[in-house]
Amino acid sequence: MTEKPIIFSTKMVQAILSGRKTQTRRVMKVQPSTQDHKFLTVLDTTARNARLIRGKHHWAKLTADSCRLLDSSVYFSSPYGYVEERLWVRESFALSNNKCFYKANFEDEDITTWKPAIHLPRSFSRITLEITKLRIQRLNDITEEEAIAEGCTGLHLQRLDKPQQFLPPVEHFAHVWDKINSKRGFSWATNPYVWVIEFRRVEV
């Protein structure tokens, strides 16, 4: 079975462990540039080069009554895998005497120097996810239900010299998204195309 690594922040790991997070959105590295197209997933095994394109996401041109694959047939292959394939989670951690400690278990305790999630070896990953659905979406198209599935149920935001502000799920998600992605040029305001990955946690 194909398995690929995926990084989650400490708070999102906690949301996965509690069962509150069943979706994640990741920026598409190549952003489509035209607006008169939409994505189709090629499932027809009789299609030309079906072995190469089946299940891939194609950028299809809109016509008056249907969609057709472009003659140049540009497709976008998910770097995270496809439905029924698995992801193993990388999270912030520390090693001591060959024992692994996870930052998500020590939310308010700085017991040691935590290592970045990118360095977590596969052998110490404790969370494995199975992809149940995969699609492409504009970031701002997220619904309240989807924001909740992202682990963003609402946030009470306290700022200096300002009254406490409550952010509903979609605004909560946008706030979390910007903290992670705005410095990379993919803020909520830029509304990039994203991979939407739905998953379930599996025991291994």
Side-chain angles (χ1 to χ4, degrees), residues 3 7 10 14 20 23 27 44 69 83-84 88-89 101 110 118 127 131-132 137 151 153 160 177 181:
E3 290 187 339
I7 294 175
T10 296
Q14 292 167 343
R20 293 184 292 110
Q23 289 185 15
V27 175
D44 183 2
L69 288 180
V83 173
E84 296 185 354
W88 59 274
V89 173
F101 297 89
D110 189 15
I118 188 66
I127 303 173
I131 299 173
T132 57
Q137 183 185 63
T153 55
L160 294 177
W177 176 272
N181 295 286

Short mmCIF file of all heavy atoms in Angstrom, two decimals, residues 3 7 10 14 20 23 27 44 69 83-84 88-89 101 110 118 127 131-132 137 151 153 160 177 181:
data_model
loop_
_atom_site.label_atom_id
_atom_site.label_comp_id
_atom_site.label_asym_id
_atom_site.label_seq_id
_atom_site.Cartn_x
_atom_site.Cartn_y
_atom_site.Cartn_z
N GLU A 3 2.08 4.82 0.89
CA GLU A 3 1.99 5.73 2.03
C GLU A 3 2.87 6.94 1.77
O GLU A 3 4.00 6.79 1.30
CB GLU A 3 2.44 5.04 3.33
CG GLU A 3 1.51 3.97 3.83
CD GLU A 3 1.93 3.46 5.20
OE1 GLU A 3 3.12 3.62 5.55
OE2 GLU A 3 1.09 2.90 5.90
N ILE A 7 2.56 16.77 6.96
CA ILE A 7 2.84 17.50 8.19
C ILE A 7 1.58 18.18 8.72
O ILE A 7 0.82 18.78 7.95
CB ILE A 7 3.94 18.55 7.95
CG1 ILE A 7 5.27 17.87 7.62
CG2 ILE A 7 4.11 19.47 9.17
CD1 ILE A 7 6.38 18.84 7.24
N THR A 10 0.73 21.28 15.69
CA THR A 10 0.38 20.65 16.96
C THR A 10 -1.11 20.70 17.23
O THR A 10 -1.73 19.71 17.63
CB THR A 10 1.16 21.32 18.11
OG1 THR A 10 2.57 21.09 17.91
CG2 THR A 10 0.75 20.75 19.46
N GLN A 14 -3.82 17.55 17.56
CA GLN A 14 -4.76 17.38 18.66
C GLN A 14 -6.18 17.22 18.16
O GLN A 14 -6.96 16.41 18.68
CB GLN A 14 -4.66 18.58 19.61
CG GLN A 14 -3.34 18.65 20.36
CD GLN A 14 -3.10 19.98 21.05
OE1 GLN A 14 -3.75 20.98 20.74
NE2 GLN A 14 -2.16 20.01 21.97
N ARG A 20 -11.99 15.48 15.80
CA ARG A 20 -12.64 16.69 15.28
C ARG A 20 -12.18 17.06 13.87
O ARG A 20 -12.87 17.81 13.19
CB ARG A 20 -12.36 17.87 16.22
CG ARG A 20 -13.00 17.75 17.59
CD ARG A 20 -12.77 19.00 18.42
NE ARG A 20 -11.36 19.16 18.79
CZ ARG A 20 -10.55 20.08 18.32
NH1 ARG A 20 -10.99 20.96 17.42
NH2 ARG A 20 -9.30 20.17 18.72
N GLN A 23 -10.59 16.54 7.57
CA GLN A 23 -10.25 17.13 6.28
C GLN A 23 -8.98 17.97 6.43
O GLN A 23 -8.68 18.47 7.52
CB GLN A 23 -11.35 18.06 5.75
CG GLN A 23 -12.61 17.39 5.28
CD GLN A 23 -13.58 18.39 4.65
OE1 GLN A 23 -13.21 19.52 4.32
NE2 GLN A 23 -14.83 17.98 4.49
N VAL A 27 -2.22 23.75 -0.56
CA VAL A 27 -2.09 24.55 -1.78
C VAL A 27 -1.59 23.71 -2.94
O VAL A 27 -0.66 22.90 -2.79
CB VAL A 27 -1.11 25.72 -1.54
CG1 VAL A 27 -0.87 26.50 -2.83
CG2 VAL A 27 -1.65 26.66 -0.47
N ASP A 44 -12.85 7.07 -16.82
CA ASP A 44 -13.16 6.21 -17.96
C ASP A 44 -11.91 5.45 -18.40
O ASP A 44 -10.95 6.04 -18.89
CB ASP A 44 -13.70 7.06 -19.12
CG ASP A 44 -14.11 6.21 -20.31
OD1 ASP A 44 -14.00 4.98 -20.22
OD2 ASP A 44 -14.52 6.80 -21.32
N LEU A 69 -12.23 17.31 -22.30
CA LEU A 69 -10.82 17.40 -21.99
C LEU A 69 -10.11 18.22 -23.05
O LEU A 69 -10.41 18.11 -24.23
CB LEU A 69 -10.20 16.00 -21.93
CG LEU A 69 -10.57 15.15 -20.73
CD1 LEU A 69 -9.87 13.80 -20.83
CD2 LEU A 69 -10.20 15.83 -19.44
N VAL A 83 -7.61 8.18 -3.30
CA VAL A 83 -8.56 7.49 -2.41
C VAL A 83 -8.07 6.06 -2.13
O VAL A 83 -7.62 5.36 -3.04
CB VAL A 83 -9.97 7.49 -3.04
CG1 VAL A 83 -10.92 6.63 -2.21
CG2 VAL A 83 -10.50 8.92 -3.15
N GLU A 84 -8.17 5.70 -0.86
CA GLU A 84 -7.77 4.40 -0.30
C GLU A 84 -6.27 4.29 -0.07
O GLU A 84 -5.81 3.31 0.51
CB GLU A 84 -8.27 3.23 -1.17
CG GLU A 84 -9.78 3.14 -1.22
CD GLU A 84 -10.25 1.92 -1.98
OE1 GLU A 84 -9.40 1.20 -2.56
OE2 GLU A 84 -11.48 1.67 -2.01
N TRP A 88 1.03 9.14 6.41
CA TRP A 88 1.52 9.04 7.78
C TRP A 88 1.91 10.44 8.26
O TRP A 88 2.50 11.21 7.54
CB TRP A 88 2.66 8.04 7.92
CG TRP A 88 3.89 8.27 7.12
CD1 TRP A 88 4.13 7.87 5.85
CD2 TRP A 88 5.09 8.93 7.56
NE1 TRP A 88 5.40 8.24 5.45
CE2 TRP A 88 6.01 8.88 6.48
CE3 TRP A 88 5.47 9.56 8.75
CZ2 TRP A 88 7.29 9.45 6.57
CZ3 TRP A 88 6.74 10.12 8.84
CH2 TRP A 88 7.63 10.06 7.77
N VAL A 89 1.49 10.74 9.46
CA VAL A 89 1.56 12.11 9.98
C VAL A 89 2.90 12.41 10.63
O VAL A 89 3.40 11.63 11.44
CB VAL A 89 0.42 12.35 10.99
CG1 VAL A 89 0.58 13.72 11.66
CG2 VAL A 89 -0.93 12.26 10.28
N PHE A 101 8.54 11.52 22.33
CA PHE A 101 7.53 12.33 23.00
C PHE A 101 6.93 13.28 21.95
O PHE A 101 7.64 13.80 21.09
CB PHE A 101 8.14 13.14 24.14
CG PHE A 101 8.72 12.29 25.23
CD1 PHE A 101 10.04 11.86 25.16
CD2 PHE A 101 7.95 11.92 26.32
CE1 PHE A 101 10.58 11.07 26.15
CE2 PHE A 101 8.47 11.12 27.33
CZ PHE A 101 9.79 10.69 27.25
N ASP A 110 6.63 23.20 28.16
CA ASP A 110 7.83 23.19 27.33
C ASP A 110 8.88 22.35 28.04
O ASP A 110 9.81 22.85 28.65
CB ASP A 110 8.33 24.62 27.12
CG ASP A 110 9.44 24.68 26.08
OD1 ASP A 110 9.60 23.68 25.35
OD2 ASP A 110 10.11 25.72 26.01
N ILE A 118 9.03 18.03 10.35
CA ILE A 118 9.63 17.54 9.13
C ILE A 118 10.69 16.47 9.40
O ILE A 118 10.99 15.63 8.55
CB ILE A 118 10.26 18.71 8.31
CG1 ILE A 118 10.74 18.24 6.94
CG2 ILE A 118 11.39 19.37 9.08
CD1 ILE A 118 9.66 17.81 6.01
N ILE A 127 0.33 8.29 13.86
CA ILE A 127 -0.98 8.53 13.24
C ILE A 127 -0.89 8.17 11.76
O ILE A 127 -0.06 8.70 11.03
CB ILE A 127 -1.43 9.99 13.39
CG1 ILE A 127 -1.47 10.39 14.87
CG2 ILE A 127 -2.80 10.20 12.75
CD1 ILE A 127 -1.75 11.87 15.09
N ILE A 131 -7.06 8.11 2.92
CA ILE A 131 -7.80 9.09 2.14
C ILE A 131 -9.14 8.50 1.72
O ILE A 131 -9.19 7.42 1.12
CB ILE A 131 -7.00 9.51 0.89
CG1 ILE A 131 -5.67 10.15 1.31
CG2 ILE A 131 -7.81 10.49 0.03
CD1 ILE A 131 -4.74 10.44 0.15
N THR A 132 -10.22 9.20 2.04
CA THR A 132 -11.56 8.73 1.68
C THR A 132 -12.15 9.50 0.51
O THR A 132 -12.97 8.98 -0.23
CB THR A 132 -12.51 8.82 2.88
OG1 THR A 132 -12.55 10.19 3.36
CG2 THR A 132 -12.04 7.92 4.02
N GLN A 137 -10.52 22.54 -5.10
CA GLN A 137 -11.49 23.57 -4.74
C GLN A 137 -10.77 24.91 -4.58
O GLN A 137 -9.58 24.95 -4.26
CB GLN A 137 -12.15 23.17 -3.40
CG GLN A 137 -13.24 24.07 -2.89
CD GLN A 137 -13.70 23.63 -1.50
OE1 GLN A 137 -12.92 23.65 -0.54
NE2 GLN A 137 -14.95 23.21 -1.39
N GLY A 151 -11.44 21.06 11.76
CA GLY A 151 -11.07 21.22 13.16
C GLY A 151 -11.26 22.62 13.69
O GLY A 151 -10.86 22.95 14.80
N THR A 153 -13.91 24.91 14.89
CA THR A 153 -15.29 25.00 15.35
C THR A 153 -15.69 26.40 15.78
O THR A 153 -16.84 26.66 16.12
CB THR A 153 -15.51 24.04 16.54
OG1 THR A 153 -14.55 24.35 17.56
CG2 THR A 153 -15.31 22.60 16.10
N LEU A 160 -5.03 42.82 22.25
CA LEU A 160 -4.74 43.91 23.17
C LEU A 160 -5.58 45.14 22.84
O LEU A 160 -5.70 45.53 21.67
CB LEU A 160 -3.25 44.27 23.12
CG LEU A 160 -2.28 43.20 23.63
CD1 LEU A 160 -0.83 43.68 23.43
CD2 LEU A 160 -2.54 42.90 25.10
N TRP A 177 -5.47 29.39 8.61
CA TRP A 177 -4.82 29.27 7.30
C TRP A 177 -3.77 30.36 7.10
O TRP A 177 -2.65 30.09 6.67
CB TRP A 177 -5.88 29.35 6.20
CG TRP A 177 -5.31 29.33 4.82
CD1 TRP A 177 -4.88 30.41 4.09
CD2 TRP A 177 -5.03 28.17 4.02
NE1 TRP A 177 -4.38 30.00 2.87
CE2 TRP A 177 -4.46 28.64 2.81
CE3 TRP A 177 -5.24 26.81 4.19
CZ2 TRP A 177 -4.08 27.76 1.79
CZ3 TRP A 177 -4.85 25.94 3.17
CH2 TRP A 177 -4.30 26.42 2.00
N ASN A 181 0.04 30.00 5.98
CA ASN A 181 0.30 30.13 4.55
C ASN A 181 0.51 31.54 4.00
O ASN A 181 0.98 31.69 2.87
CB ASN A 181 -0.87 29.50 3.77
CG ASN A 181 -0.97 28.01 4.00
OD1 ASN A 181 -0.17 27.23 3.49
ND2 ASN A 181 -1.96 27.60 4.79
#
